[in-house]
Amino acid sequence: MRKGRVLVILFVSLLVFANMFSEVNLVSEVGIHTEAWKTVMDDFQKETGIKANIQQFPYANYFDQLMLTFTSGRVDFDVPYVSMLWYPALATAGYIYPINKIEGYEELNLEDISGIENAWQNGNLYFIPYMNELGGVVYRTDLFNDPKEKTAFREKYGYELTPPQTLEQYKDIAEFFYRPPELYGVTLMGQRSIFLATHFLQRLWARGGSLLNDEMKPVFNSKEGIEALEEVGEMFEYANPAAKTYVFQDALTEFTQGRSAMAELWTTAMLYTEDPETSKVVGKSSFIGFPRPEELKDEKLPMLYISWGFTVSSASKNKEEALEWIKFVTETQNEVKAAPYGNIPARFSSINDPAMREKFPWLDGFSKAMENSIPTPMVPLIPEGNSIVNDYIAPAVSEYLSGSKTAEEALNEAADSVSQLLKDHGYYY
Amino acid sequence: MSKSKIIKVLSMTIVVIALIWTLYPLMWIVFSSFKTPIDQFTIPPKWIPENFTLRNYKIFFSNTEFVRAFFNSIIVTAFSTILALILGIPAAYGLARFKWKHASLLSFIILLARMTPPIVMVLPFFLISRILNISGTYIPIILASSFFSVPFAVWMMQGFFSEIPESIEEAAMIDGCTRFESLRKIVLPLVLPGISATSILCALVSWNEFLFALILTGQETRTLPVLVNMFVSEKNVDWGVMSAAALITVIPMIIFGLLVQNNLVKGLTAGSGK
């Protein structure tokens, strides 16, 4: 009996002793969602006894730092916090480990996480989303609710002024509020970049089109693609001429300065528009998912989906501690606790939490859009995905906007190049 | 108006244009650092802040990394400059004093390092430091900074040494000095303005070095220019805090420049006298 007690005490002491030295090393960029989850790191240690350490890099070179560290083979972190767009390359190279192979992963409630299907590759789960957002439209509620504007809009277009649910409404509203130089109908991101490509992708998907078919052949030069690209051009007529040089940060600044009625941005924009330090439109804006054509209004279609989340390094010696961290930080209560510091949680239970809704009323539009769409990453989740969108789609959109090519020419040339790229990489012969 | 007066007015105009050209970005940074985020991008743009604020400085100084980054910059600058002088002065002396078969080719090869685009050298430095397990420490960034400073020091100092007549050294050696003693007691005091100018310019290069510091430093060894970049995130740039950070970063070098400007001018003039 006494021997048993001694053994139990020894075992417990051993556990306590082991936990005293347990730690997990996190690596991330400098950004608002990282600042949010950092706020629960102490709670994690209190609850589990595992110390979480973090090293952060400037966003501009974070991915390069990660890749250089992985390729050098001397990895000193367990949990890289990455963009969803990065994980396929990391998984293909074997730098990150399948989370579903770590004991205890079943305790993660995956059903509750929107867009989780994008985190699986070849039957393995590599990525647990923490921050989720959609591409959509942020709009000025003060203008949309102004009785004078409502009357004027009804008189001109014959229907009620409401946040745009169809592409037709979206264009009408942009035209209606186009009052340069004080106010522009819509803010777009026209610099030759991935941001510009998103304007095309959203319209392509909204029309039921796709980038690649099941055989990985490019199909974005379809009739839907050409219409989508032409519509991007039309929408730029209601934007600030300077918008042709904008990226996300510039577009956000224009909207928060109150210089446009709508902006084609992502949900995170709301965290900045509601910040009195940076915005002149606090309490005067909201978010709605990207509109569709009238005839496809009620269809569940792809919508631009951006996610950041946690992965586990293959070189990690603390995989179980890494999983413990992921389980802890993505628990609903912890997501809700951290969100006010700058995050849009990935769990439905978090975004539908009453405290969250009270703090961020615009989550209603986001939640509805998330439920009624197929969250689709802005680049195909293959190692060549970034190149397809950055090197071929974005230049095609830019060439069309500059007038150097027709929509059909620009898309056909891009499709040929993408086809060649995928052929060269062995997707087909 | 006399000809000399016209030349004077013209010269002054050119100087004023050059000053505006040089100081314009700096002034923009100074004003932006006192603006609220809302006022950063008002249309039409306003140079002078309407709502003067110290918010940006408060945020920057409350960043726990500031003090560490400041000292890291001092350490990296001091050690890389010392290293550049330790290696550069003897090399320059050797090249200036001794007749070698391929001395001019050697000088050119040394300068090649200075001509190489930094981006080409980043990866080898990173990989070597990883392999030697010294990444994230001061060693790789100090070595990388001096990698570009040494050729610069060699080339500058070579000019200064060439200006000192060999006969002075020969006289010292006839009086019983060894070569090293004549260098230490006679030549080095004579090229002191040159050493000052070289060290000042090497220090400036190291202090402002960004690319290598971005890749080679870790959280503990991050320097000030890298810290400035920490205010750019995926979707937002905090221009006000970045401006405050940039200003704080350049101030030590401005003060240093003002303190040593006499030596710098003296040194540069001496170097070009031959």
Side-chain angles (χ1 to χ4, degrees):
Chain A
M1 187 71 180
R2 191 180 289 168
K3 205 175 167 185
R5 260 191 214 164
V6 171
L7 275 173
V8 168
I9 291 168
L10 257 174
F11 181 69
V12 171
S13 313
L14 209 69
L15 273 180
V16 171
F17 188 72
N19 267 346
M20 273 170 68
F21 293 99
S22 288
E23 58 177 19
V24 61
N25 296 307
L26 317 168
V27 61
S28 184
E29 47 117 34
V30 178
I32 51 171
H33 24 109
T34 300
E35 294 310 309
W37 58 252
K38 270 166 72 180
T39 60
V40 296
M41 280 169 63
D42 286 344
D43 295 349
F44 173 66
Q45 188 174 357
K46 275 180 209 151
E47 194 171 306
T48 63
I50 303 167
K51 188 174 185 331
N53 307 309
I54 181 171
Q55 50 174 320
Q56 285 178 276
F57 292 97
Y59 171 73
N61 80 318
Y62 175 46
F63 183 67
D64 295 336
Q65 281 279 2
L66 275 184
M67 289 306 277
L68 285 169
T69 308
F70 278 127
T71 47
S72 72
R74 289 171 182 265
V75 183
D76 49 6
F77 44 75
D78 306 299
V79 182
Y81 180 72
V82 298
S83 160
M84 175 172 267
L85 306 183
W86 302 349
Y87 96 81
L90 301 178
T92 306
Y95 297 148
I96 53 172
Y97 191 77
I99 294 169
N100 55 316
K101 289 192 177 159
I102 307 173
E103 207 178 307
Y105 113 95
E106 311 80 18
E107 289 164 35
L108 281 164
N109 177 12
L110 300 179
E111 303 291 307
D112 189 31
I113 302 176
S114 54
I116 189 67
E117 55 282 0
N118 295 294
W120 291 84
Q121 289 224 326
N122 305 321
N124 284 322
L125 177 71
Y126 286 100
F127 176 92
I128 303 295
Y130 180 74
M131 187 286 299
N132 269 357
E133 60 176 328
L134 288 172
V137 178
V138 290
Y139 61 94
R140 290 274 299 279
T141 49
D142 57 331
L143 295 175
F144 277 73
N145 295 331
D146 184 336
K148 278 186 201 163
E149 299 287 5
K150 277 184 166 298
T151 310
F153 186 86
R154 197 184 314 111
E155 278 170 12
K156 188 169 179 188
Y157 296 96
Y159 62 95
E160 278 301 310
L161 173 64
T162 56
Q165 293 196 344
T166 69
L167 286 168
E168 295 80 1
Q169 290 170 1
Y170 186 24
K171 200 156 68 181
D172 286 348
I173 299 167
E175 182 189 55
F176 177 70
F177 283 115
Y178 181 67
R179 300 159 194 176
E182 284 81 22
L183 186 72
Y184 293 94
V186 65
T187 296
L188 300 169
M189 304 174 279
Q191 195 179 103
R192 185 186 281 211
S193 68
I194 199 161
F195 299 110
L196 172 62
T198 63
H199 295 322
F200 165 71
L201 293 174
Q202 288 276 52
R203 287 169 176 80
L204 174 74
W205 294 330
R207 286 174 164 79
S210 309
L211 264 180
L212 306 170
N213 64 14
D214 294 341
E215 294 165 346
M216 302 298 281
K217 298 251 167 72
V219 288
F220 55 80
N221 52 340
S222 57
K223 180 176 149 281
E224 290 81 13
I226 294 165
E227 281 174 12
L229 186 49
E230 285 171 348
E231 195 189 76
V232 174
E234 284 170 43
M235 288 303 281
F236 265 97
E237 289 171 23
Y238 309 118
N240 187 336
K244 292 215 169 142
T245 62
Y246 286 0
V247 289
F248 194 96
Q249 293 147 355
D250 312 297
L252 181 61
T253 301
E254 182 166 280
F255 186 79
T256 54
Q257 289 280 323
R259 300 207 301 268
S260 64
M262 298 181 288
E264 208 169 304
L265 289 170
W266 311 342
T267 325
T268 309
M270 288 306 302
L271 296 173
Y272 296 97
T273 60
E274 292 303 291
D275 178 358
E277 273 217 316
T278 56
S279 172
K280 288 181 179 170
V281 292
V282 177
K284 296 176 185 170
S285 58
S286 195
F287 176 85
I288 188 165
F290 194 75
R292 281 88 182 264
E294 177 69 45
E295 64 276 14
L296 297 173
K297 199 169 62 178
D298 301 319
E299 296 278 323
K300 204 166 182 172
L301 292 166
M303 198 178 284
L304 188 78
Y305 168 65
I306 296 102
S307 180
W308 279 71
F310 297 98
T311 57
V312 176
S313 165
S314 296
S316 166
K317 289 182 181 136
N318 307 314
K319 292 192 179 71
E320 281 169 22
E321 287 82 356
L323 182 65
E324 278 306 310
W325 161 256
I326 294 172
K327 279 197 270 190
F328 178 85
V329 75
T330 60
E331 264 174 27
T332 304
Q333 63 186 54
N334 292 325
E335 281 192 349
V336 170
K337 190 176 176 188
Y341 296 94
N343 188 44
I344 302 166
R347 289 193 179 280
F348 279 117
S349 53
S350 302
I351 55 176
N352 292 328
D353 182 270
M356 283 289 290
R357 285 302 177 86
E358 200 183 326
K359 173 94 183 149
F360 302 132
W362 46 266
L363 276 177
D364 184 45
F366 169 67
S367 177
K368 276 182 191 148
M370 195 54 110
E371 280 164 20
N372 298 321
S373 65
I374 303 166
T376 306
M378 69 174 108
V379 307
L381 293 180
I382 52 174
E384 297 77 9
N386 260 314
S387 179
I388 291 173
V389 176
N390 275 303
D391 302 337
Y392 302 107
I393 304 283
V397 179
S398 181
E399 280 163 357
Y400 169 69
L401 288 181
S402 69
S404 61
K405 282 177 190 159
T406 65
E408 195 174 354
E409 281 166 2
L411 291 177
N412 282 342
E413 278 179 31
D416 288 345
S417 303
V418 170
S419 182
Q420 189 60 47
L421 172 81
L422 295 177
K423 207 183 278 181
D424 292 345
H425 286 217
Y427 284 84
Y428 39 79
Y429 299 99
Chain B
M1 201 187 275
S2 68
K3 199 179 166 187
S4 66
K5 244 185 179 175
I6 292 172
I7 290 172
K8 207 174 174 185
V9 170
L10 263 175
S11 312
M12 282 305 290
T13 314
I14 292 168
V15 168
V16 169
I17 291 171
L19 262 180
I20 292 171
W21 185 268
T22 317
L23 292 181
Y24 172 84
L26 198 63
M27 289 316 292
W28 188 85
I29 287 172
V30 172
F31 289 130
S32 295
S33 72
F34 294 109
K35 283 183 191 169
T36 59
I38 281 184
D39 289 342
Q40 293 292 344
F41 291 100
T42 48
I43 301 282
K46 285 179 186 131
W47 264 84
I48 313 290
E50 246 176 26
N51 307 303
F52 183 90
T53 179
L54 291 174
R55 169 233 181 229
N56 302 319
Y57 290 92
K58 261 187 218 162
I59 292 177
F60 183 63
F61 286 124
S62 61
N63 187 316
T64 49
E65 283 198 40
F66 166 68
V67 176
R68 194 167 54 198
F70 185 78
F71 281 106
N72 288 340
S73 279
I74 290 175
I75 288 168
V76 170
T77 303
F79 278 94
S80 65
T81 305
I82 291 167
L83 193 61
L85 294 177
I86 288 174
L87 295 173
I89 290 175
Y93 180 75
L95 286 167
R97 272 292 172 268
F98 304 113
K99 303 285 171 262
W100 298 8
K101 200 176 176 187
H102 299 294
S104 55
L105 178 70
L106 205 67
S107 291
F108 178 73
I109 290 172
I110 289 172
L111 198 64
L112 265 183
R114 196 81 189 90
M115 291 173 175
T116 317
I119 191 79
V120 176
M121 304 308 297
V122 165
L123 195 61
F125 265 101
F126 179 83
L127 292 176
I128 292 168
S129 63
R130 278 268 154 186
I131 291 163
L132 298 177
N133 220 3
I134 52 169
S135 69
T137 66
Y138 290 115
I139 299 169
I141 182 63
I142 288 173
L143 290 178
S145 291
S146 45
F147 176 77
F148 288 103
S149 303
V150 169
F152 179 71
V154 171
W155 268 74
M156 268 196 79
M157 289 310 300
Q158 203 179 335
F160 292 114
F161 283 126
S162 305
E163 280 197 359
I164 309 292
E166 273 184 68
S167 53
I168 296 179
E169 276 182 84
E170 283 162 7
M173 283 193 273
I174 288 167
D175 286 346
C177 280
T178 60
R179 166 76 68 178
F180 181 71
E181 278 171 339
S182 76
L183 171 68
R184 191 168 61 86
K185 291 180 180 168
I186 310 294
V187 181
L188 285 184
L190 288 173
V191 293
L192 211 55
I195 294 175
S196 300
T198 307
S199 54
I200 290 158
L201 293 173
C202 286
L204 276 172
V205 170
S206 293
W207 183 269
N208 293 324
E209 210 295 312
F210 174 69
L211 183 67
F212 278 90
L214 187 67
I215 302 290
L216 297 176
T217 58
Q219 198 149 297
E220 302 296 318
T221 50
R222 205 166 269 157
T223 55
L224 275 177
V226 182
L227 193 65
V228 174
N229 195 41
M230 300 285 271
F231 298 99
V232 181
S233 67
E234 186 191 15
K235 298 189 182 107
N236 194 35
V237 182
D238 199 333
W239 292 103
V241 183
M242 248 186 109
S243 302
L247 205 63
I248 299 298
T249 304
V250 298
I251 280 174
M253 276 298 113
I254 291 175
I255 295 170
F256 180 59
L258 288 173
L259 289 175
V260 296
Q261 63 172 331
N262 283 342
N263 275 342
L264 184 64
V265 173
K266 218 187 289 174
L268 290 175
T269 324
S272 61
K274 198 175 179 184

